[in-house]
Amino acid sequence: MLNNEMAGGAQKSALIFAALGDPTRLQLVEKLGDGRPKSINTLSSDFKLTRQAITKHLHVLEEVGIVRSERLGRENRFTMKDGAIKTARDYLDQIGKQWDDALTRLKLHVEE
Amino acid sequence: MLNNEMAGGAQKSALIFAALGDPTRLQLVEKLGDGRPKSINTLSSDFKLTRQAITKHLHVLEEVGIVRSERLGRENRFTMKDGAIKTARDYLDQIGKQWDDALTRLKLHVEE
DNA sequence: TTAAAATGCAACTATTTTGTTGCATAATTA
DNA sequence: TAATTATGCAACAAAATAGTTGCATTTTAA
């Protein structure tokens, strides 16, 4: 049923939106957007925040499936993982489409 | 540093994502998705939370431009406003596209 | 005009989030 | 091996968030 699919997507999407709802994390996502794995140190170097703060943000992104991490020697390298982003985008598409349809129906109704 | 440079629409989008990053607010958005104005009382009736809690959530959604409110008699009616949703969706599209391009380039590079 | 309905406002609490500092550990390199 | 590099972990504090209760105000209806 569409309603249940929607409700299910809402819970999952809320987690992803919450993860993206922080400017620092959003910038990390942008930085990782080139698809290349980056170490915590590399990622931290562009922020005023401490390395530990960035680490926490990366873990938040990892928990909701936006990035993944891989140990390489003494480095911990993070990479984008498109699944979660796609989930969020699809959700917004759905909302947008629902809204467009609603507007169309309302307009027709008014013109009746 | 990246913090002070303008990282695209990251700041604005982060606000919208943060607003959507709460299950209650996401449900409110879904409820308003039919395009019809709804009073606070109507919107509150479907949640376990108090009316005041819902009111606060609605104000959060209003501040980032996801909904708008209109006083009608003793009622305050809220309506969807697609602008912000579209901004967020476009942002995710951009990230998604950047990611796809990056993957393509990386793949080509590997095959060289 | 009185009662009910819908909302607004403020104070307060509890929890979560964000960030820090300090120290410990594992891997590299000189 | 000793120093350096990269990270992990934990305790702590400040701030933001989410929610409640209580009471006041404005509209509507009887």
Side-chain angles (χ1 to χ4, degrees), chain A residues 22 25 50 52-53 56-57 73-74:
Chain A
D22 177 280
R25 286 196 291 266
T50 60
Q52 290 87 341
K56 285 189 184 180
H57 283 305
R74 62 183 163 185

Side-chain angles (χ1 to χ4, degrees), chain A:
Chain A
M1 187 175 289
L2 189 79
N3 269 338
N4 288 338
E5 287 171 9
M6 186 111 165
Q11 295 303 323
K12 187 175 181 183
S13 296
L15 285 176
I16 298 170
F17 288 140
L20 296 176
D22 177 280
T24 301
R25 286 196 291 266
L26 213 46
Q27 287 175 17
L28 285 170
V29 167
E30 287 182 353
K31 234 177 172 24
L32 288 169
D34 66 0
R36 297 180 182 177
K38 290 176 179 51
S39 73
I40 293 178
N41 235 5
T42 299
L43 290 168
S44 302
S45 66
D46 297 309
F47 294 90
K48 291 173 184 170
L49 306 180
T50 60
R51 170 183 56 83
Q52 290 87 341
I54 301 299
T55 301
K56 285 189 184 180
H57 283 305
L58 288 169
H59 286 334
V60 171
L61 291 173
E62 189 174 22
E63 273 165 16
V64 301
I66 295 177
V67 305
R68 62 182 168 79
S69 67
E70 175 194 20
R71 194 77 193 219
L72 203 101
R74 62 183 163 185
E75 288 185 342
N76 195 356
R77 310 205 307 176
F78 286 78
T79 319
M80 278 284 288
K81 209 178 134 189
D82 67 342
I85 294 287
K86 189 175 187 316
T87 297
R89 196 184 49 183
D90 290 349
Y91 180 83
L92 289 185
D93 273 340
Q94 194 179 346
I95 292 286
K97 196 159 297 177
Q98 178 191 3
W99 202 74
D100 289 342
D101 294 348
L103 280 196
T104 302
R105 280 197 303 276
L106 287 178
K107 193 178 178 187
L108 287 177
H109 191 262
V110 163
E111 287 171 354
E112 272 170 11

Side-chain angles (χ1 to χ4, degrees), chain B residues 2-13:
Chain B
L2 230 165
N3 265 340
N4 290 337
E5 294 169 8
M6 197 51 274
Q11 296 293 335
K12 185 177 181 183
S13 296

Side-chain angles (χ1 to χ4, degrees), chain B residues 28-57:
Chain B
L28 285 170
V29 167
E30 287 182 355
K31 247 189 169 6
L32 287 170
D34 67 0
R36 297 182 182 176
K38 290 175 180 48
S39 73
I40 293 178
N41 236 2
T42 299
L43 290 168
S44 302
S45 67
D46 296 308
F47 293 90
K48 290 173 185 169
L49 307 180
T50 60
R51 169 183 56 85
Q52 289 87 341
I54 300 299
T55 300
K56 283 189 184 179
H57 283 305

